[in-house]
């Protein structure tokens, strides 16, 4: 039954993908657009060749994007100047910033979440600050970071730190506060010390909730890094997308979007697998 459902889901996914590719191919045919092939003069000034005459769509076909993707995959780490580096290098810069900011946030959020979850006094004292700071867009911190840190790369890491902090902090505090009282009572009966209780009782019990927060944080961090790198420039997949937009290279932009999605999916799958390792059945 399960294998049948998996097979049918796979076939439906292939059908949806084929329909999407077919619609995309049709949309790039000459005269398929809303204007029936008429080209706006300002748009024609930006593009060149057959696209400027309306004989060919300026938007790449699926085959064009596939060829562009293959070109990037064949040589992902080339360096032909400061503004012309392979997509593998750009992804490596982005991943490095995300991982540094994410790990720094975890180093702060998990111990602080433990403290908040275990101490109602600390929770009440810090809750007003958390409620005010949590809704602020991470990118709103960027000007302040650039002014104080004076380094665009570290400022991007700081933005990742900020956006990763809150889901991990809130989920850790909630997970710790939700540990069953019976388990804590047993630990108290056995006269388990505070340090051992935290690591042998509370941490395993709260681990699934903590991992949920970490999974949410990595997704947000990967979303935010693209926008942050568009602002700070220099290197990274976000800068690559913005640079290719300035070059009107739509094929490269679509390729980058596809790779951003694939890397984001890989990060989410890695955290989901880690979450399954700490899950337990009551």
């Amino acid at each position: 039954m399960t294998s049948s459902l998996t097979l049918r889901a796979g076939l439906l996914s292939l059908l949806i993908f084929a329909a999407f590719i077919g619609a995309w191919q049709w949309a790039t045919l000459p005269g398929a657009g809303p204007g029936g092939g008429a080209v706006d003069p300002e748009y024609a000034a930006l593009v060149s060749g057959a696209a400027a005459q309306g004989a060919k769509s300026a938007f790449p076909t699926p085959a064009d994007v596939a060829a562009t993707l293959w070109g990037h995959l064949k040589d992902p780490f080339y360096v032909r100047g400061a503004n012309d580096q392979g997509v593998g290098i750009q992804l490596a810069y982005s991943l490095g910033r995300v991982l540094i900011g994410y790990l720094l946030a975890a180093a702060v959020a998990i111990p602080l979440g433990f403290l908040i979850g275990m101490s109602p006094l600390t929770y009440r004292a810090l809750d007003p600050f958390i409620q005010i700071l949590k809704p602020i867009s991470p990118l709103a911190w960027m000007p302040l970071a650039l002014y104080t840190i004076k380094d665009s790369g570290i400022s991007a890491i700081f933005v990742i730190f900020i956006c990763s902090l809150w889901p991990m902090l809130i989920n850790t505090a909630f997970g710790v506060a939700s540990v069953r009282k019976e388990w804590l009572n047993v630990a108290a009966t056995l006269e388990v010390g505070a340090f051992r209780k935290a690591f042998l009782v509370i941490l395993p019990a709260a681990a699934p909730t903590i991992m949920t927060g970490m999974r949410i944080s990595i997704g947000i961090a990967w979303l935010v890094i693209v926008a942050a790198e568009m602002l700070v420039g220099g290197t990274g997949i976000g800068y690559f997308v913005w640079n290719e937009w300035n070059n009107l290279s739509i094929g490269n932009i679509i390729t980058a979007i596809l790779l951003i999605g694939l890397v984001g999916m890989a990060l989410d799958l890695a955290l989901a697998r880690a979450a399954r390792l700490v899950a337990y059945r009551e």
Side-chain angles (χ1 to χ4, degrees), residues 117-129:
M118 295 176 70
S119 168
L121 174 64
T122 308
Y123 169 75
R124 287 177 179 271
L126 294 180
D127 188 56
F129 300 102

Side-chain angles (χ1 to χ4, degrees), residues 106-183:
V108 173
I110 293 175
L112 187 58
F114 245 82
L115 184 62
I116 293 172
M118 295 176 70
S119 168
L121 174 64
T122 308
Y123 169 75
R124 287 177 179 271
L126 294 180
D127 188 56
F129 300 102
I130 294 172
Q131 296 306 322
I132 291 173
L133 294 173
K134 185 180 64 174
I136 299 174
S137 168
L139 294 177
W141 294 95
M142 182 61 82
L144 194 60
L146 288 170
Y147 179 78
T148 54
I149 300 173
K150 304 186 187 307
D151 184 290
S152 58
I154 299 176
S155 297
I157 292 172
F158 173 76
V159 169
I160 296 303
F161 168 82
I162 289 292
C163 74
S164 303
L165 186 69
W166 306 118
M168 282 192 276
L169 177 66
I170 293 169
N171 275 269
T172 302
F174 176 75
V176 170
S178 302
V179 175
R180 292 175 61 175
K181 300 300 179 189
E182 293 89 341
W183 298 348

Side-chain angles (χ1 to χ4, degrees), residues 55-121:
K56 180 181 181 302
S57 172
F59 199 86
T61 65
D64 294 334
V65 172
T68 303
L69 176 62
W70 177 243
H72 284 294
L73 294 179
K74 279 196 304 184
D75 188 13
F77 300 107
Y78 71 83
V79 178
R80 299 179 188 131
N83 291 326
D84 189 9
Q85 301 184 40
V87 73
I89 294 177
Q90 308 290 7
L91 283 171
Y93 273 113
S94 298
L95 276 170
R97 288 173 183 141
V98 165
L99 291 179
I100 293 172
Y102 178 81
L103 292 176
L104 288 173
V108 173
I110 293 175
L112 187 58
F114 245 82
L115 184 62
I116 293 172
M118 295 176 70
S119 168
L121 174 64

Side-chain angles (χ1 to χ4, degrees), residues 3 19 22 51 59 72 88 96 110 115 122 173 183 199-200 224 231 239 243-244 273 277:
S3 61
F59 199 86
H72 284 294
I110 293 175
L115 184 62
T122 308
W183 298 348
F199 277 89
L200 299 180
V224 169
L231 289 174
Y239 171 71
N243 196 37
E244 295 306 319
R273 185 174 290 273
L277 294 176

